[in-house]
Amino acid sequence: MDEVNSTESSQEVSNAESPLWQYVTKVEKPAGASVKSSGNTYFKCNYCDIVFMGSYSRVKAHLLQISGKGIRACRNVSKSHMLEMERMHDQVETNKLEQEQRSQILLPPPPPGRGIPISPFRRQEESDSSHSTNSVDAKRRKVTMNTTLEKAFQNNARHDLDSRIARMFYTSGLPFNFARNPHYRSSYAFAATHSVLGYLPPRYNALKTTLLQKERAHVERLLKPIKDSWLENGVSIVYDGWSDPQRRPLINIMAVSDEGPVFIKAIDGSGELKDKHYIAGVLKDAIKEIGHEKVVQVITDNANVMKAAGALIEGEYPKIFWTPCVVHTLNLAFKNICATKNTEKNEVTYEECSWITRVANDASFIHVFIMNHSMRLAMFNEFCPLKLLQVADTRFASVVVTLKRLKLIKRCLQAMAISDQWASCREDDVGKAQKVKDMILSDLWRDNIDYILEFTAPIYDMLQIADTDKPCLHLVYEMWDSMIEKVKAVIYQHEGLEDDQYSSFWGVVNDILIDRWTKNSTPLHCLAHSLNPKYYSIEWLSENPKRIPPHRDHEISMERSKCLE
């Protein structure tokens, strides 16, 4: 019902001049509220679920966190949504500026004699004598009026300027989305409303030197409030490596706090041995640049070399923790379950989980078969409005993402496989086509996909929660415990077992999750968990009889003591 009301509210009040109405929900006046003027509306923020009263200006002030407007700012709006709202707001302001600019264009004065009252007798004489020259005068007036309008609105100059700007896009290969950049539009609007005689746009050298330095100083001023909060609230340093299109090994250093992530620097690691000493040196440089008294933890992936580098950091800075990335840990758990390898040490796991690997390989086979044959791909595009996803192995939970898309387009694939077009197509291997058809129509194969997605859903949900800009350190410990319990419940329900019975498949999955959680857990997680008031509340404790408050949990108390020491 809330979703319906939200949609109806958006359709009622959202328009081109007030686009932010779509992020709130119009609600009825709360019971007991005093009568206000008809210009005010009661609305509920879609992010914080708090009801306010006011016009569009208050909606804008609440969502864009503008102070001094008599309404408190919403702290639940993410940085990406905030940027999108600001872009929409800037677009509206730019459009208003353009409209004002057009309204300020003055038409030239009328030709001499126009607008002067003429006596009725003279008008009658002129009308009697003007029949012969009527058509000539009409053509002359039309030409004069067209010329006058062109001069007033400068249509020729506008068309010429449009052509020059478009030519700039075409010859430089600029993406057309660049035209939606609010800074691009505001720059031309500023130039049109300010007479800067003889102005020429900045040249190549100015853009890469003085103007770049000036813009960097401007960005530093914008980041100053965030950096000032680091001393009081603490900051985490995030280390991440990747390769650019030229295959150069680059290292990103980010600083993350409650106020959001801040890019610190990128390092080209070409020709460097990425051992523990090199990685620890990069992290130490970042700690010194930010200030060791501000840094709470350094976060890296779970590789052994990262763990060794983290130990070096903790040895030199006893108050700074090394924390493995939760999202990377969950992704490794996915790989252990969904892409198990047949090795001597992994024999039991492979025996229990190899069927998941086969299902994932079959899904990849279907994708490759359709994408590599033009007729099959054209047939698929005709039956299905969605696309087959090409998910890279480096993406988190790539197997689950691929299977989710196959489940979503299940009926489209089935309709395509039983169609006459599929049977009449002979441009490819008939045996492979029959194999793909059998898998698409197989109920057992579809049931296996549903089961995989069902028991991995708690892991995937936790990964999505952790893979955001919002701080979640205080939630990680409890999320791991709850996630493991949910996975067990799904597996036991599917196998029809009671809690006290044994499941070999669950035993393997449980060992993988526990092993990954043991490697990921740090004393900092336990301290953050014990400081969260939620886990002392009656509501949370009563949800599960096995739950106990953090101060009564022996493991948490021991780890918390280590952290405090």
Side-chain angles (χ1 to χ4, degrees):
M1 182 64 69
D2 291 339
E3 293 178 358
V4 175
N5 293 337
S6 177
T7 304
E8 293 176 353
S9 173
S10 300
Q11 293 175 349
E12 286 180 11
V13 298
S14 180
N15 54 56
E17 295 184 357
S18 52
L20 301 187
W21 274 116
Q22 61 184 297
Y23 297 105
V24 301
T25 304
K26 187 176 179 182
V27 298
E28 297 294 333
K29 183 176 68 174
S34 58
V35 179
K36 301 291 182 181
S37 60
S38 59
N40 288 324
T41 303
Y42 286 94
F43 62 89
K44 182 177 72 173
C45 176
N46 292 345
Y47 294 94
C48 63
D49 292 332
I50 300 177
V51 177
F52 300 97
M53 183 195 71
S55 59
Y56 178 71
S57 60
R58 283 199 167 192
V59 175
K60 180 174 65 178
H62 175 66
L63 295 174
L64 299 184
Q65 300 181 0
I66 302 173
S67 59
K69 299 295 184 180
I71 188 171
R72 62 181 174 183
C74 181
R75 297 300 179 185
N76 293 347
V77 179
S78 63
K79 295 292 182 182
S80 59
H81 287 179
M82 176 76 73
L83 291 175
E84 176 64 17
M85 293 178 191
E86 290 176 348
R87 184 195 67 77
M88 297 169 65
H89 177 63
D90 291 342
Q91 180 66 39
V92 171
E93 294 299 321
T94 302
N95 293 340
K96 289 182 180 179
L97 185 63
E98 292 176 352
Q99 292 176 1
E100 292 176 0
Q101 182 184 343
R102 295 192 191 100
S103 64
Q104 291 173 357
I105 298 177
L106 300 178
L107 290 173
R114 294 205 178 190
I116 302 175
I118 304 176
S119 66
F121 300 103
R122 181 181 174 187
R123 186 180 296 113
Q124 180 65 34
E125 293 173 359
E126 288 181 354
S127 62
D128 292 340
S129 61
S130 62
H131 288 296
S132 59
T133 59
N134 221 0
S135 59
V136 178
D137 290 344
K139 292 180 180 179
R140 187 177 301 161
R141 282 196 300 272
K142 184 176 181 180
V143 172
T144 303
M145 181 58 69
N146 289 341
T147 305
T148 303
L149 290 175
E150 287 179 1
K151 288 181 179 180
F153 290 100
Q154 298 180 337
N155 287 339
N156 292 335
R158 288 171 180 269
H159 295 325
D160 187 31
L161 182 59
D162 286 345
S163 299
R164 291 172 183 268
I165 295 174
R167 199 172 297 123
M168 173 185 68
F169 275 78
Y170 306 149
T171 56
S172 299
L174 294 175
F176 296 139
N177 279 334
F178 179 70
R180 297 175 178 173
N181 188 313
H183 301 291
Y184 157 79
R185 301 186 65 84
S186 63
S187 62
Y188 282 95
F190 183 89
T193 54
H194 295 76
S195 296
V196 188
L197 298 178
Y199 172 77
L200 292 174
R203 294 183 178 275
Y204 174 83
N205 289 329
L207 285 171
K208 65 180 294 188
T209 54
T210 56
L211 289 175
L212 181 60
Q213 296 169 0
K214 182 179 178 181
E215 185 62 21
R216 175 168 183 171
H218 172 67
V219 173
E220 288 293 337
R221 287 194 298 271
L222 295 177
L223 294 177
K224 190 176 185 304
I226 298 178
K227 293 184 177 181
D228 289 343
S229 68
W230 290 350
L231 182 60
E232 180 180 357
N233 300 328
V235 65
S236 301
I237 295 178
V238 181
Y239 176 105
D240 185 28
W242 62 290
S243 299
D244 68 354
Q246 286 76 38
R247 306 301 299 169
R248 292 177 297 181
L250 300 182
I251 299 170
N252 282 353
I253 302 295
M254 305 282 290
V256 183
S257 66
D258 289 346
E259 302 296 327
V262 175
F263 173 78
I264 301 298
K265 59 183 175 181
I267 302 170
D268 185 357
S270 301
E272 298 287 350
L273 178 62
K274 313 301 187 300
D275 60 0
K276 63 180 182 180
H277 298 290
Y278 175 78
I279 296 171
V282 172
L283 291 172
K284 289 176 184 177
D285 291 341
I287 292 173
K288 292 176 182 178
E289 182 177 344
I290 294 174
H292 68 88
E293 69 280 359
K294 304 175 185 177
V295 180
V296 176
Q297 60 180 342
V298 292
I299 303 175
T300 68
D301 60 36
N302 297 21
N304 291 330
V305 66
M306 295 296 180
K307 184 176 182 180
L312 294 178
I313 295 296
E314 291 182 337
E316 184 167 344
Y317 299 99
K319 296 182 180 179
I320 297 178
F321 292 85
W322 170 74
T323 305
C325 175
V326 178
V327 180
H328 186 250
T329 302
L330 292 169
N331 188 58
L332 292 177
F334 266 120
K335 287 187 175 181
N336 294 145
I337 297 172
C338 300
T340 181
K341 296 180 180 179
N342 188 12
T343 61
E344 185 176 351
K345 295 181 179 180
N346 203 39
E347 186 176 352
V348 177
T349 303
Y350 182 79
E351 182 179 352
E352 292 293 337
C353 299
S354 59
W355 65 275
I356 304 176
T357 306
R358 288 194 295 271
V359 172
N361 291 338
D362 290 342
S364 177
F365 182 82
I366 293 174
H367 178 275
V368 172
F369 178 79
I370 294 177
M371 296 299 294
N372 288 358
H373 296 85
S374 58
M375 291 297 293
R376 303 291 184 183
L377 181 58
M379 199 183 308
F380 171 81
N381 292 332
E382 180 181 346
F383 279 89
C384 186
L386 298 175
K387 303 298 181 183
L388 282 170
L389 294 179
Q390 180 66 41
V391 184
D393 292 336
T394 55
R395 180 173 176 179
F396 293 140
S398 57
V399 172
V400 174
V401 174
T402 301
L403 296 181
K404 276 179 173 288
R405 176 51 60 93
L406 282 178
K407 180 179 180 180
L408 194 61
I409 60 176
K410 167 186 173 181
R411 298 193 181 280
C412 300
L413 289 174
Q414 291 175 339
M416 177 184 68
I418 63 176
S419 66
D420 295 337
Q421 297 169 259
W422 182 275
S424 62
C425 184
R426 291 289 183 271
E427 70 153 3
D428 45 42
D429 190 330
V430 178
K432 290 183 178 181
Q434 185 61 40
K435 179 181 177 181
V436 170
K437 179 178 179 179
D438 292 341
M439 285 189 293
I440 291 175
L441 299 179
S442 171
D443 292 335
L444 178 61
W445 192 72
R446 310 302 307 192
D447 291 342
N448 286 336
I449 290 180
D450 293 341
Y451 181 38
I452 294 171
L453 294 179
E454 189 176 0
F455 85 80
T456 59
I459 312 175
Y460 187 76
D461 292 341
M462 180 178 173
L463 188 148
Q464 286 188 307
I465 294 173
D467 193 20
T468 61
D469 292 339
K470 295 182 179 180
C472 62
L473 181 68
H474 59 298
L475 304 173
V476 170
Y477 190 94
E478 194 274 333
M479 282 197 298
W480 268 102
D481 283 348
S482 299
M483 178 264 290
I484 293 175
E485 291 177 2
K486 292 176 182 176
V487 173
K488 178 182 178 180
V490 173
I491 293 176
Y492 269 58
Q493 182 181 5
H494 182 268
E495 295 182 358
L497 301 176
E498 299 294 335
D499 287 343
D500 56 347
Q501 293 179 295
Y502 176 73
S503 167
S504 58
F505 178 62
W506 162 244
V508 169
V509 173
N510 182 60
D511 289 343
I512 293 173
L513 296 178
I514 294 295
D515 180 62
R516 287 300 173 187
W517 169 226
T518 303
K519 293 179 180 179
N520 179 257
S521 178
T522 67
L524 196 60
H525 288 119
C526 296
L527 176 63
H529 175 79
S530 63
L531 292 177
N532 191 340
K534 171 184 176 182
Y535 304 126
Y536 297 89
S537 65
I538 300 299
E539 292 80 9
W540 183 78
L541 294 172
S542 60
E543 289 179 4
N544 190 329
K546 297 180 181 180
R547 289 177 177 175
I548 58 176
H551 69 283
R552 294 184 180 177
D553 189 302
H554 178 71
E555 178 188 356
I556 294 175
S557 299
M558 293 291 293
E559 295 297 309
R560 182 177 64 246
S561 298
K562 291 180 183 179
C563 188
L564 292 174
E565 291 173 3

